[in-house]
C-alpha cells in the first residue's frame, strides 16, 4: 500500500455533511488540505477574557486609524475631483479625472484590506483591463467600482468614521477620567454644584446641595468603572458599524451579506462569544470579483448602496425636519421628533419592505398635515420636509420594487393631499390646491425616474446573466473538447495495449504448445483481467466523451468483490476474504465506491507489500457498510517504506474523495505490527 505520510491521516470529520460539502469561510479549502498551525490556533475555543482582549485590540486597530485615513482621503479626493470637473471644459479635467478615480480606488482597496484584516470576508474587486496608451490612462472612467469607491470615500466614509472614532474616544476618555477623578478633580473651579449633587437632587426631587468632593469622586469613579467595563462592547459595536458600511459600499454582496458577515466567524462558545477572534488563515486568498461594467451593474449586484443612501438621506432629513417643523410650524418638539423619525424610517424600510414603508410613509404624511393644518405658513398642506421625504420614498420604491407598489404609494399620497383640502389651511384654497398638485406631480416624476432606473438595472442584470450563461456554455464546450482529447489519448495509449495483452493471453495456448495447466490458468486469468479492464475503459471513455450510452455502461458492484479477490489470488497473493453470505442491497454509488476501495487497496498491497498476506473484510453494521483491507508486514525485498515508484500517490486521495463524497469516512495508516490498514465506513442508504 501507499504509506505516504501526507495521505494517511484521517480526513477531518466535519469536512463533509451528507452528500453536500460544508461551506467553509472564504476561500474554500479543499477537503484534503493540511491544516496549518495558525488555522488550528484560530479555530481553538478561546476563553471569555481571551476573546475579549483579542477583539479589543482588533477593534481598536480598525477604529483608531479610520478617522485619520478619511481625513487624508476626503480633502485629497475632493480637491482632485473639483479640479477635474472645473477643468473638464478645457480637457484638462478629462486627463485628471482618471487620476482621481485611481486614487479613490486605492483608498477603497485600503478600506477593503483593513476590513479583511479585521475578519470580514470581503472580496477584493479586480480592476478592469486597461489596454495601452491613452486607453490605459482613460480606463478608470469606465470602471464603475472606482466611481463607487469615490462616492463612498468622499460622502459616506468621513461621517461614519467620525462617529465611530468620536464615540469610542469619548467613552474611553470618560472612563479613564472618571477612575482618575480623585487626582485631578481637586483642581477644577467650584461651581453651583457637582454632577453627583445634580443627580441626587433629580432622583430625590429635592434642592441641589453640596455633598462634598469625596461623594463626587466616588460617583465619578463608579461611572468610570462602568464606562471602562462596557468600553470593549461599545468599541466592538463601532467596529461593526464601520464593517457594515464597508461591506455595503465596497462589496457586491449586498447589505444582507454585510449584516450577516460583519461578525467574523469563530468557534468560542462562552458568554460574549461574539467577541471571539476571526480566523486569519484564508483572508489573503479571498476571491477577486471582476469589476462591474457600469454603475447600474454595481447597483444591480448589491443593495448595500440603497441602504447607505437611505440611511444618509434619513439622517439628513431628521437633522433638518426636526428643528424646521418645530420652529417654523410651532409643533411640539416631541411630535416633531416622532414625525421626522417616521419619515426617515419609511425610507429605510423602503429598501427591502415596501408595504410597511408605504404604510409608515403615508401615516407620517397624514400626521404632518394634521399637526400643521391650523398653523399659518407659506406651504400647505405638504411642508417642504414632507415633500422631500415623499420624493425620496417614491424614488426608492420605484428603483427597488414592482410598479404596483409605486402606484399604491402615489395614489395614497394624492388621496391624502385631496382630503387635506377640507382642513383649515394657510392662505386660500387655490394655494393649497397648487401645493397638492405640485407635490403629486413631483412625486410622480420621481416615481417615473425610479421605474426607468429599475428597468435599466433589470435589463443590465439580464444582459450580464446572458453573458455569464454564454461564457458558461463556452467553458462547457471547451471542457467537452478537452475530455474528448483525453479520451482519444486514453484509447490510443491504454486501450490498445490492453487489447494486445488480452489477445496474447488468449492465444498463448495456441502459440505456445506444451504449457502446463497452471500456466494456462495464469494466461486465462490475465486474459479475463484484461477484458474486464477493457470493459471498464470503454465505460470511462463513454463518460469522458459525454456519450448518451455512458449511463448504460456496466459498472462493478460490491457483489464483484469476491471475483476481484479470486483474480488477485491468481497473481500469487495470499488474500483472505470475509464477505456476507446474504446479498447486499446498496445504492449504486455506494456499491461502486466499495468495490473501488477494495480494488485500490489490493492494488496498493500488491505493489508496495509484495508477499504480505492480505485480509479483506466487508460487513454491514447497522446503517453503515464497514470495509477493512489489512496487509501484514512486507517481505524484506519489497518497498517497506511504502513509497510508490509507479504512482503519484493519487490512489488514497481518490479513495478519500469517493468515500467522503458519500458522507463516509476513510482511515488509512500503518499498523502496530508493521503492516498497513485501510478502513472505510459508508452509509448503506
Amino acid at each position: 500500500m501507499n504509506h505516504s505520510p501526507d495521505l494517511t491521516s484521517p480526513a477531518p470529520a466535519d469536512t463533509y455533511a451528507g452528500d453536500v460539502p460544508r461551506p467553509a469561510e472564504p476561500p474554500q479549502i479543499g477537503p484534503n488540505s493540511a491544516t496549518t498551525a495558525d488555522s488550528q490556533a484560530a479555530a481553538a475555543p478561546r476563553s471569555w477574557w481571551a476573546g475579549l482582549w483579542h477583539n479589543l485590540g482588533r477593534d481598536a486597530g480598525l477604529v483608531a486609524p479610520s478617522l485619520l485615513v478619511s481625513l487624508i482621503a476626503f480633502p485629497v479626493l475632493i480637491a482632485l475631483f473639483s479640479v477635474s470637473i472645473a477643468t473638464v471644459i478645457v480637457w484638462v479635467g478629462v486627463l485628471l479625472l482618471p487620476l482621481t478615480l485611481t486614487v479613490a480606488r486605492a483608498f477603497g482597496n485600503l478600506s477593503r484590506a483593513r476590513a479583511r484584516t479585521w475578519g470580514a470576508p470581503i472580496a477584493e474587486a479586480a480592476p478592469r483591463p486597461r489596454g495601452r496608451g491613452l486607453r490605459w490612462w482613460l480606463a478608470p472612467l469606465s470602471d464603475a467600482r472606482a466611481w463607487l469607491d469615490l462616492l463612498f470615500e468622499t460622502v459616506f466614509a468621513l461621517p461614519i468614521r467620525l462617529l465611530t472614532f468620536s464615540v469610542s474616544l469619548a467613552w474611553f476618555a470618560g472612563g479613564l477620567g472618571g477612575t482618575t477623578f480623585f487626582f485631578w478633580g481637586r483642581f477644577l473651579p467650584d461651581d453651583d454644584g457637582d454632577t453627583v449633587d445634580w443627580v441626587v437632587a433629580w432622583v430625590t426631587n429635592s434642592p441641589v446641595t453640596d455633598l462634598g468632593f469625596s461623594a463626587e469622586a466616588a460617583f465619578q469613579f463608579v461611572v468610570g468603572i462602568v464606562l471602562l467595563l462596557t468600553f470593549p462592547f461599545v468599541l466592538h459595536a463601532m467596529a461593526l458599524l464601520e464593517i457594515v458600511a464597508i461591506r455595503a459600499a465596497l462589496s457586491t454582496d449586498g447589505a444582507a451579506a454585510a449584516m450577516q458577515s460583519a461578525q467574523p466567524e469563530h468557534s468560542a462558545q462562552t458568554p460574549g462569544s461574539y467577541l471571539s477572534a476571526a480566523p486569519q488563515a484564508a483572508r489573503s486568498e479571498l476571491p477577486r470579483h471582476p469589476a462591474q461594467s457600469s454603475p447600474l451593474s454595481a447597483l444591480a449586484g448589491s443593495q448595500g448602496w440603497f441602504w447607505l443612501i437611505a440611511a444618509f438621506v434619513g439622517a439628513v432629513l431628521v437633522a433638518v425636519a426636526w428643528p424646521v417643523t418645530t420652529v417654523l410650524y410651532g409643533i411640539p418638539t416631541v411630535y416633531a421628533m416622532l414625525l421626522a423619525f417616521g419619515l426617515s424610517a419609511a425610507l429605510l424600510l423602503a429598501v427591502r419592505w415596501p408595504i410597511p414603508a408605504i404604510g409608515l410613509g403615508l401615516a407620517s404624511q397624514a400626521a404632518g398635515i394634521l399637526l400643521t393644518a391650523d398653523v399659518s405658513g407659506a406651504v400647505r398642506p405638504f411642508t417642504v420636509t414632507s415633500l422631500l421625504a415623499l420624493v425620496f420614498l417614491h424614488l426608492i420604491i420605484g428603483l427597488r420594487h414592482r410598479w404596483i407598489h409605486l402606484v399604491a404609494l402615489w395614489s395614497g399620497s394624492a388621496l391624502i393631499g385631496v382630503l387635506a383640502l377640507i382642513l383649515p389651511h394657510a392662505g386660500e384654497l387655490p394655494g393649497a390646491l397648487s401645493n397638492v398638485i405640485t407635490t403629486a406631480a413631483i412625486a410622480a416624476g420621481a416615481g417615473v425616474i425610479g421605474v426607468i432606473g429599475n428597468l435599466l438595472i433589470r435589463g443590465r442584470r439580464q444582459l450580464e446573466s446572458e453573458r455569464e450563461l454564454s461564457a458558461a456554455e463556452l467553458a462547457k464546450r471547451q471542457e467537452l473538447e478537452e475530455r474528448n482529447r483525453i479520451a482519444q489519448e486514453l484509447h490510443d495509449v491504454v486501450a490498445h495495449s490492453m487489447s494486445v495483452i488480452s489477445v496474447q493471453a488468449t492465444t498463448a495456448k495456441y502459440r505456445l504448445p506444451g504449457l502446463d495447466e497452471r500456466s494456462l490458468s495464469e494466461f486465462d486469468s490475465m486474459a479475463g483481467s484484461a477484458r474486464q479492464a477493457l470493459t471498464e475503459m470503454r465505460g470511462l471513455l463513454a463518460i469522458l466523451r459525454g456519450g448518451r450510452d455512458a449511463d448504460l455502461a456496466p459498472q462493478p458492484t460490491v457483489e464483484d468483490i469476491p471475483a476481484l479477490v479470486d483474480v488477485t489470488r491468481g497473481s500469487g497473493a495470499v488474500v483472505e476474504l470475509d464477505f456476507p453470505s446474504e446479498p447486499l442491497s446498496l445504492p449504486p454509488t455506494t456499491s461502486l465506491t466499495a468495490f473501488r476501495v477494495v480494488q485500490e487497496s489490493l492494488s496498493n498491497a500488491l505493489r508496495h507489500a509484495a508477499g504480505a498476506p492480505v485480509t479483506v473484510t466487508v460487513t454491514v453494521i447497522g446503517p453503515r457498510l464497514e470495509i477493512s483491507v489489512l496487509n501484514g508486514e512486507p517481505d524484506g525485498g519489497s518497498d517497506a517504506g511504502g513509497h510508490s515508484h509507479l504512482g503519484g500517490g493519487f490512489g488514497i486521495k481518490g479513495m478519500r474523495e469517493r468515500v467522503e463524497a458519500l458522507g463516509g469516512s476513510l482511515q488509512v495508516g500503518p499498523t502496530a505490527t508493521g503492516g498497513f490498514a485501510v478502513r472505510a465506513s459508508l452509509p448503506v442508504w
Side-chain angles (χ1 to χ4, degrees):
M1 296 184 184
N2 193 340
H3 296 254
S4 301
D6 58 333
L7 294 175
T8 57
S9 59
D14 59 346
T15 303
Y16 285 88
D19 296 335
V20 182
R22 181 178 301 173
E25 59 180 347
Q28 196 75 5
I29 301 175
N32 296 311
S33 300
T35 304
T36 63
D38 292 340
S39 61
Q40 289 178 347
R46 282 191 175 93
S47 65
W48 189 88
W49 285 107
L52 181 71
W53 284 108
H54 174 84
N55 285 275
L56 182 63
R58 184 168 55 93
D59 296 336
L62 175 71
V63 175
S66 295
L67 183 60
L68 178 61
V69 172
S70 288
L71 289 178
I72 297 174
F74 182 80
V76 170
L77 294 176
I78 287 295
L80 287 175
F81 185 73
S82 301
V83 173
S84 301
I85 297 301
T87 58
V88 70
I89 193 172
V90 293
W91 295 100
V92 176
V94 177
L95 300 178
L96 189 59
L97 192 56
L99 176 62
T100 305
L101 295 174
T102 302
V103 175
R105 188 65 180 271
F107 279 109
N109 288 334
L110 177 61
S111 297
R112 296 184 187 93
R114 293 176 60 246
R116 286 194 297 272
T117 302
W118 182 85
I122 177 174
E124 181 180 357
R128 293 167 56 90
R130 301 187 62 167
R132 297 181 179 179
L134 185 61
R135 295 179 58 187
W136 178 87
W137 180 260
L138 298 178
L141 295 176
S142 61
D143 188 356
R145 187 70 264 170
W147 286 98
L148 295 179
D149 290 350
L150 176 64
L151 179 61
F152 174 76
E153 296 293 340
T154 55
V155 177
F156 298 100
L158 183 59
I160 293 174
R161 291 168 179 173
L162 181 61
L163 172 65
T164 57
F165 182 83
S166 301
V167 171
S168 302
L169 181 62
W171 206 277
F172 180 75
L176 185 62
T179 54
T180 59
F181 183 83
F182 180 82
F183 300 99
W184 56 270
R186 300 178 183 274
F187 303 100
L188 295 177
D190 295 333
D191 50 16
D192 296 335
D194 295 327
T195 305
V196 67
D197 301 335
W198 289 97
V199 171
V200 171
W202 176 73
V203 172
T204 60
N205 195 20
S206 60
V208 178
T209 58
D210 188 8
L211 299 178
F213 177 77
S214 298
E216 177 67 14
F219 175 78
Q220 293 290 348
F221 181 80
V222 172
V223 173
I225 290 296
V226 172
L227 292 178
L228 289 180
L229 290 178
T230 57
F231 173 71
F233 302 94
V234 174
L235 181 63
H236 191 68
M238 295 299 101
L240 285 178
L241 176 61
E242 185 167 342
I243 289 298
V244 167
I246 293 176
R247 288 277 292 148
L250 302 183
S251 175
T252 58
D253 299 337
M259 297 293 183
Q260 295 172 1
S261 59
Q263 187 70 291
E265 296 184 10
H266 48 76
S267 58
Q269 301 299 330
T270 56
S273 61
Y274 67 95
L275 289 172
S276 59
Q280 303 283 341
R283 293 174 191 159
S284 61
E285 301 177 2
L286 290 171
R288 295 167 58 91
H289 292 294
Q292 300 287 349
S293 58
S294 69
L296 287 176
S297 300
L299 289 176
S302 170
Q303 65 177 355
W305 275 103
F306 288 100
W307 287 104
L308 280 179
I309 294 174
F312 181 79
V313 174
V316 173
L317 191 62
V318 169
V320 174
W322 189 352
V324 167
T325 308
T326 301
V327 174
L328 294 184
Y329 302 108
I331 297 179
T333 303
V334 176
Y335 293 151
M337 177 192 68
L338 295 177
L339 182 62
F341 276 102
L343 295 173
S344 301
L347 297 180
L348 289 174
L349 291 175
V351 176
R352 190 167 184 180
W353 301 282
I355 296 178
I358 293 173
L360 181 59
L362 294 180
S364 300
Q365 294 290 339
I369 292 175
L370 292 175
L371 290 173
T372 59
D374 56 350
V375 181
S376 60
V379 179
R380 287 294 179 272
F382 293 97
T383 63
V384 176
T385 54
S386 297
L387 173 60
L388 293 176
L390 195 62
V391 167
F392 279 106
L393 186 59
H394 278 77
L395 186 61
I396 295 176
I397 291 292
L399 283 170
R400 292 288 300 165
H401 305 289
R402 299 170 55 191
W403 62 269
I404 190 66
H405 296 114
L406 182 63
V407 171
L409 174 62
W410 185 87
S411 301
S413 60
L415 179 61
I416 290 175
V418 172
L419 294 177
L421 296 177
I422 65 176
L423 298 174
H425 47 76
E428 300 297 331
L429 180 62
L433 182 60
S434 299
N435 174 265
V436 173
I437 294 175
T438 302
T439 302
I442 295 176
V448 170
I449 294 175
V451 171
I452 294 176
N454 194 355
L455 292 176
L456 291 177
I457 290 175
R458 292 178 181 272
R460 175 67 64 176
R461 183 183 302 170
Q462 184 177 2
L463 177 60
E464 291 186 352
S465 298
E466 294 295 334
R467 290 177 177 175
E468 292 177 359
L469 290 176
S470 299
E473 291 297 329
L474 178 61
K476 289 181 180 180
R477 185 165 62 251
Q478 293 175 347
E479 178 186 1
L480 183 59
E481 293 175 355
E482 181 66 15
R483 290 168 64 180
N484 285 334
R485 187 188 66 80
I486 295 174
Q488 186 64 39
E489 292 292 334
L490 285 175
H491 180 272
D492 294 341
V493 176
V494 180
H496 173 71
S497 300
M498 296 301 299
S499 299
V500 171
I501 294 174
S502 177
V503 171
Q504 289 180 344
T506 304
T507 60
K509 59 183 178 181
Y510 304 108
R511 296 181 293 101
L512 303 173
L515 292 176
D516 56 13
E517 292 296 329
R518 182 176 179 182
S519 299
L520 292 176
S521 177
E522 290 288 340
F523 278 114
D524 290 340
S525 176
M526 292 171 57
S529 298
R531 285 192 294 270
Q532 182 181 359
L534 281 174
T535 301
E536 296 183 7
M537 179 65 67
R538 293 189 187 97
L540 176 62
L541 294 179
I543 293 175
L544 286 175
R545 289 170 175 165
R548 297 180 180 270
D549 57 341
D551 294 336
L552 302 178
Q555 294 290 341
T557 64
V558 70
E559 301 295 340
D560 296 321
I561 291 179
L564 175 65
V565 171
D566 291 338
V567 173
T568 306
R569 289 168 178 166
S571 64
V574 178
V575 183
E576 295 183 5
L577 175 62
D578 183 3
F579 194 81
S581 58
E582 299 179 356
L584 298 177
S585 178
L586 300 176
T589 53
T590 303
S591 184
L592 175 61
T593 301
F595 178 86
R596 294 302 186 194
V597 168
V598 175
Q599 184 184 45
E600 180 63 27
S601 301
L602 290 176
S603 176
N604 284 341
L606 294 178
R607 185 163 61 247
H608 303 293
V614 182
T615 302
V616 179
T617 304
V618 179
T619 181
V620 177
I621 302 177
R624 312 289 291 185
L625 176 66
E626 303 293 339
I627 300 173
S628 174
V629 181
L630 174 64
N631 64 266
E633 185 176 359
D635 294 339
S638 63
D639 185 8
H643 300 287
S644 173
H645 300 292
L646 299 175
F650 298 108
I652 295 179
K653 181 179 178 181
M655 285 193 295
R656 189 182 303 281
E657 291 175 351
R658 285 178 178 270
V659 170
E660 291 177 347
L662 297 178
S665 62
L666 179 72
Q667 295 182 358
V668 293
T671 63
T673 59
F676 201 80
V678 176
R679 295 182 176 89
S681 178
L682 298 172
V684 297
W685 57 74

